[in-house]
Amino acid sequence: VVKTEEVLLEKILNAEERAVKEEEERRRAAEGSNISAADVALKKRALKDMMGGTLEKKKKGALEELERDPWMDEDPTGWTEEQKKEYKDFQVRLTEHDEEREKIRKQLEQEERQLKTESDSIVKAFDLALF
């Protein structure tokens, strides 16, 4: 006895079977396009809600890198008074920038410690519930 799986040739469909198969394919394609359109809309909405519509994280003011002007690398004896003032302002901004980065780093370290403590307590509670 030969099984249907063993036949390597394509089955020839009559007109009625062909119509049923085409209708089924059309229905699947319509469902697939509806699902994919719904998925796309859902993903776009989630992206907008959670990340402001962008995949990249925006840099905070304190985390932006300060750019040093090329003339600041030159010999300070040839600087004008305006350049000296700009350099002092740059130094002040640089120290504020470093302080802000340090502040953010400490906040993140504190948050990490809290999360580790919370995670440890959850694991202990789970272990106690198991035994």
Side-chain angles (χ1 to χ4, degrees):
V1 175
V2 177
K3 297 180 182 174
T4 308
E5 302 89 42
E6 295 174 339
V7 178
L8 300 176
L9 298 175
E10 184 178 334
K11 182 178 178 183
I12 298 175
L13 304 174
N14 63 27
E16 184 180 315
E17 291 173 330
R18 217 176 302 131
V20 170
K21 184 177 178 181
E22 288 173 0
E23 180 62 32
E24 185 177 319
E25 287 176 357
R26 260 190 252 112
R27 185 178 47 82
R28 284 185 189 164
E31 287 176 2
S33 65
N34 289 342
I35 291 172
S36 64
D39 284 346
V40 169
L42 186 63
K43 289 176 184 177
K44 284 183 179 179
R45 179 175 172 217
L47 180 63
K48 183 179 178 188
D49 289 348
M50 290 186 277
M51 300 192 68
T54 179
L55 289 175
E56 295 182 14
K57 218 175 190 182
K58 293 182 181 176
K59 290 184 178 181
K60 299 285 184 193
L63 298 179
E64 291 178 6
E65 293 298 319
L66 296 176
E67 290 190 26
R68 187 177 171 102
D69 291 332
W71 61 265
M72 291 182 183
D73 295 329
E74 298 173 2
D75 185 27
T77 56
W79 289 354
T80 63
E81 290 300 318
E82 186 178 319
Q83 286 176 328
K84 290 177 184 178
K85 185 177 182 235
E86 284 183 40
Y87 183 74
K88 285 181 184 177
D89 290 343
F90 177 78
Q91 292 293 55
V92 169
R93 286 194 321 262
L94 188 62
T95 55
E96 290 172 356
H97 177 266
D98 291 343
E99 290 170 359
E100 187 66 26
R101 284 182 85 171
E102 186 65 22
K103 180 181 170 185
I104 291 172
R105 186 185 63 79
K106 287 181 181 180
Q107 288 174 347
L108 290 173
E109 286 177 349
Q110 177 65 25
E111 183 181 353
E112 179 187 22
R113 285 192 293 273
Q114 288 175 347
L115 290 173
K116 282 183 180 180
T117 304
E118 184 180 339
S119 174
D120 290 343
S121 66
I122 290 171
V123 168
K124 287 178 185 177
F126 181 75
D127 288 344
L128 289 174
L130 286 178
F131 302 110

